[in-house]
Amino acid sequence: MTFGELGDLVVLTLRDPAGFVRTMRRVDPPTGARWMALALAVSLSTLLAMLARLAFPLPADDPLAGLLASPAMLATVQFGALAFLAALITAIGRLFGGAGTFDDALLLIAWVELILVGLQAAQLALMVVLPGTGSLMSLVALGMSIYLTIALTRALHGFSSTAKVAVTFIGGIFVMGFLLSLIAAAFGILPEVTP
């Protein structure tokens, strides 16, 4: 696949998420390739996070400093969180009558993450040239992540209501955030909150 074809897929994803899902179902990559796409996305994201840490060191007392100190831990947590998100999208979608499969959800999550890696690279480059743009790019990446996840989940399961998918997605994020914070506290990644 060429860079031009990748660019066309990104444009298709943004303009017509349902069309992208149909295209991916026609291509139907094997399960192993879907896991490799997720591993690639996580590896690139971790590499960029490490470069950002070198260029812009965090204070030692920052909760993320511990997580960013270990690339392997960061990659493991991110990989697990994204795989869990794919499972959550599949299970909740099926609960509400959706037709999506875990393999397709995994591919879509990996694809969204690869798009976000592109934004992460642009953010890092802009922060070096124009330091004040980091927060703006973070907001753009967050907005794009939410939009793509909701739009692709809707297309994956064949749902007609974007609003219902959005409400369910936000509820799922709260559940996932709670579970991940428990896991992070158990492994000592984030400090436990004391009264």
Side-chain angles (χ1 to χ4, degrees), residues 18-167:
F20 173 77
V21 170
R22 286 192 300 272
T23 299
M24 287 298 99
R25 282 180 170 154
R26 274 196 308 273
V27 173
D28 194 24
T31 301
R34 297 167 195 244
W35 283 106
M36 284 193 295
L38 184 64
L40 174 65
V42 167
S43 299
L44 292 173
S45 178
T46 301
L47 176 64
L48 288 171
M50 293 302 109
L51 289 174
R53 181 174 177 259
L54 290 173
F56 307 99
L58 290 172
D61 61 344
D62 190 305
L64 289 177
L67 183 60
L68 291 174
S70 169
M73 179 63 78
L74 177 61
T76 301
V77 168
Q78 190 175 3
F79 189 88
L82 292 173
F84 179 71
L85 179 60
L88 201 61
I89 285 172
T90 306
I92 293 175
R94 287 295 187 99
L95 186 66
F96 287 96
T101 65
F102 175 75
D103 277 359
D104 285 346
L106 184 67
L107 181 61
L108 296 181
I109 291 299
W111 178 243
V112 169
E113 188 61 21
L114 283 168
I115 292 173
L116 294 178
V117 163
L119 286 176
Q120 190 180 358
Q123 178 183 16
L124 183 57
L126 278 174
M127 285 174 62
V128 170
V129 179
L130 300 167
T133 60
S135 297
L136 177 62
M137 284 300 292
S138 292
L139 288 174
V140 169
L142 177 64
M144 176 109 34
S145 172
I146 292 170
Y147 163 73
L148 288 175
T149 304
I150 289 171
L152 291 173
T153 299
R154 179 178 174 236
L156 170 72
H157 286 294
F159 294 137
S160 58
S161 172
T162 302
K164 287 180 183 176
V165 174
V167 168

